[in-house]
Amino acid sequence: MVVSDDHALQHRLPHRKKQTMSAPNALFTETLMLLGGAVVTAPIFKKLGLGTVLGYLAAGVVIGPVLHGIGDSEAVLAVAELGVVFLLFIIGLELKPSRLWQMRRDIFGLGTAQVVLSGLALTLAAYLANITGWRGSIIVGFGLALSSTAFAMQILEQEGDVNTKYGQRSFSMLLLQDLAIVPLLALVTVLDGPKETSNPIPDLAIAVGAVAAMIIAGRYLLTPLFQVIARTGAREAMIAAALLVVMGSATLMQLAGLSMAMGAFLSGVMLAESSYRHELEADIEPFRGILLAIFFIAVGLSLKLDVIADNWVLIVLAVPVLMVIKGVVIYALCRMTGSSHNDAIRIACLLPQGGEFGFVLFSTASASGGLFSASTASMLIAIVTLSMALTPLGSALSKRLLSGDTHEELDEDFEGAGSDVLMIGFSRFGQIAAQILLAGGRDVTVIDFSADRIRQASNFGFRIYFGDGTRKDVLRSAGIDHAKVVVVSTHQREVTDKIVELVQTDYPHASIFVRSYDRIHSIELRNKGVDYELRETLESGLLFGRRTLEALGVSEADAYEIGEDIRKRDEQRLVLQASEGLQAGSDMLYSRPVKPEPLVKPKRAADIFSDADDLSVLPAEEPERV
């Protein structure tokens, strides 16, 4: 019998192996679909200017309700909620007390007022529309009061308005909204009502004790823990410790009857001042990114298209109502707290949409079962999604509602500005160039659009003016009419090109010296006719190579001559590339050691170059820079 059993087993094993090879398990297949959906849709929606969040939602809708590729969306959502937990941890890490103190009035004053007033107004609207009961309406109203940080910050960055007055106030409100999700998630638990077996007094004591334990652990245990692990040099142990802290604190809060996000947020705040903050953020970021993407895909999976089809009239009407209510409340609050009409309009048109945290709140509320159903959550998510898609249109509309001077009033009065050199952008490149000019006895007027950089430079005694170098009125106020040389050292290629075109058009008397982004940018700048351009990495790369040769035994004089030869060949290649294309002059590049002996003097170069490196095709003299 044993033999026959073994014989039967031998017949069964190949058959089982064949089935395993031909039919991957469901978890593997579903993971491939989720990752594939993220890879395909995120770049497309990002390119269209709609943001990656909408791309993930669209992927979820296609995979789930349309193709029925994944049926158990709740299981996916349960795992993907860790992305929200990690996100709250990172938000906590970034909340240093000093940063909060600088923007305290806008964050805790204006931001709190916006969430409360918008939430109450939208709660009333949801209750009157009979979307759900009064408890569910509170979650609906305050969930819709939150705006999309991803969409708003993307628009601010694209417009270059992050450091404007209205940009800073917008960011303050978004930051408070990010903080508000923590108490709002706790509010879901409160409104859901006590369970039959629960006793509120012990439950409250357990929650308070858990929070106290988190604070004590963060203050006395977490930093020493990371110090011990860091001494071992085990990189994987640091990553494991970071995940352990986040998931452990989240689990502790969940056991205490609070949200997992609350625990992650508290642990992040406790480590905000830690010297390991940046290491932790770098370790957690990849997990946060992919899990949060899967979370949004899971939200799309959970959408009920039949519910949306049945309520499409309500959804279409609810979106403009939502955006108008939030826009009016935000505009009124901004005006009452000192913003100009134009700034208030910009903020009101930037933040009227629903946000990503609304998905989190609605999904949590529907999962509890006591506040509103999954069908209601699907309808609310559809409303938020459509409002997010309309955000770029709202931002464009704001420009038509501005009155008078549409530019922000400058923080600086430019008193004392005006010199022979006007430097636009105080980047690291510009700082070094400014040292040469100042050492040569030349006065330099510097304008920059980064408030943080201006504050840092002011600490070292530099006089820098806040201003946008792409605006003609700012350049005029900074004294460009008296400037002999305009130095453009901004670090964004598009901004640099815009400034160059503006100066060439309106101030042709000024010479333009430009920091170029790369080789292609250098060629484009020369074609535009700038007086001088320099790639930011050229000189540092040449010096670095010379010093490396010296370390290998080459004399300083020979290393200098080799460097000058490379500089000359680089210039000659640029001239050829400007007229013949990027592939021109490629034969002048060194791709292997020079043989039979190293190049040490330019006059011997012709003797050691191969036939492919013949310099007869080059101009006889180094051309003058255009």
Side-chain angles (χ1 to χ4, degrees), residues 255-272:
L255 293 175
L258 299 176
S259 67
M260 296 179 67
M262 170 73 83
F265 176 76
L266 285 178
S267 63
V269 172
M270 292 300 100
L271 290 168

Side-chain angles (χ1 to χ4, degrees), residues 33-34 36-38 41 45 52-71 73 76 293-309 359 377-379 381-383 385-386:
M33 296 178 68
L34 292 172
T41 59
F45 277 71
T52 56
V53 174
L54 285 181
Y56 298 140
L57 290 171
V61 171
V62 173
I63 294 173
V66 176
L67 300 179
H68 303 287
I70 298 178
S73 61
V76 178
I294 294 177
F295 173 82
F296 289 127
I297 294 177
V299 172
L301 290 173
S302 63
L303 278 177
K304 299 183 182 298
L305 297 184
D306 56 340
V307 174
I308 297 175
F359 301 144
S378 292
M379 184 179 64
I381 290 171
I383 292 172
T385 302
L386 187 55

Side-chain angles (χ1 to χ4, degrees), residues 261-563:
M262 170 73 83
F265 176 76
L266 285 178
S267 63
V269 172
M270 292 300 100
L271 290 168
E273 297 288 355
S274 170
S275 57
Y276 299 96
R277 179 173 69 89
H278 297 293
E279 179 76 13
L280 290 171
E281 187 170 357
D283 290 340
I284 292 296
E285 180 61 31
F287 299 97
R288 179 207 66 84
I290 188 61
L291 285 173
L292 200 59
I294 294 177
F295 173 82
F296 289 127
I297 294 177
V299 172
L301 290 173
S302 63
L303 278 177
K304 299 183 182 298
L305 297 184
D306 56 340
V307 174
I308 297 175
D310 293 339
N311 298 276
W312 70 269
V313 175
L314 178 59
I315 293 174
V316 170
L317 293 176
V319 171
V321 170
L322 162 66
M323 301 183 78
V324 169
I325 290 177
K326 287 183 69 175
V328 170
V329 171
I330 292 172
Y331 175 83
L333 287 174
C334 290
R335 291 289 284 160
M336 292 171 60
T337 53
S339 290
S340 64
H341 166 75
N342 288 342
D343 280 354
I345 285 291
R346 289 188 179 104
I347 300 172
C349 291
L350 182 68
L351 304 179
Q353 77 289 121
E356 300 88 351
F357 280 127
F359 301 144
V360 180
L361 201 61
F362 300 147
S363 299
T364 303
S366 65
S368 69
L371 296 177
F372 47 75
S373 64
S375 298
T376 302
S378 292
M379 184 179 64
L380 293 171
I381 290 171
I383 292 172
V384 172
T385 302
L386 187 55
S387 70
M388 292 168 68
L390 294 176
T391 299
L393 296 178
S395 179
L397 176 64
S398 68
K399 299 178 181 179
R400 296 182 176 272
L401 300 177
L402 302 180
S403 62
D405 184 8
T406 59
H407 295 306
E408 171 190 20
E409 294 181 4
L410 300 177
D411 289 338
E412 299 283 356
D413 58 9
F414 288 92
E415 181 179 356
S419 56
D420 289 344
V421 179
L422 172 61
M423 178 174 289
I424 305 172
F426 203 54
S427 59
R428 290 170 295 183
F429 184 94
Q431 293 167 24
I432 297 172
Q435 287 292 292
I436 299 291
L437 295 169
L438 294 171
R442 298 293 182 175
D443 191 18
V444 182
T445 297
V446 182
I447 61 175
D448 197 281
F449 203 43
S450 169
D452 291 337
R453 192 177 297 125
I454 290 174
R455 283 193 294 268
Q456 294 170 2
S458 298
N459 293 334
F460 291 94
F462 290 98
R463 176 61 172 168
I464 307 179
Y465 301 94
F466 175 81
D468 182 357
T470 62
R471 286 168 42 186
K472 184 177 179 180
D473 59 330
V474 172
L475 296 179
R476 186 185 302 112
S477 299
I480 193 173
D481 291 320
H482 308 290
K484 297 179 181 177
V485 177
V486 175
V487 177
V488 185
S489 60
T490 51
H491 64 277
Q492 291 184 353
R493 179 173 178 170
E494 296 78 10
V495 175
T496 297
D497 292 341
K498 190 173 181 179
I499 295 173
V500 168
E501 292 173 2
L502 175 61
V503 175
Q504 286 181 326
T505 302
D506 296 327
Y507 305 99
H509 70 279
S511 298
I512 306 177
F513 282 45
V514 188
R515 162 200 180 182
S516 68
Y517 181 78
D518 54 19
R519 193 175 195 86
I520 297 176
H521 195 205
S522 291
I523 296 173
E524 293 176 352
L525 289 170
R526 291 188 179 197
N527 291 335
K528 291 180 180 180
V530 301
D531 296 274
Y532 183 77
E533 55 72 31
L534 181 66
R535 305 195 304 280
E536 58 182 349
T537 57
L538 176 62
E539 295 297 329
S540 57
L542 289 173
L543 178 60
F544 191 87
R546 283 166 42 195
R547 292 291 183 259
T548 306
L549 279 179
E550 293 170 14
L552 295 172
V554 178
S555 69
E556 182 177 352
D558 287 346
Y560 175 80
E561 290 183 0
I562 292 174

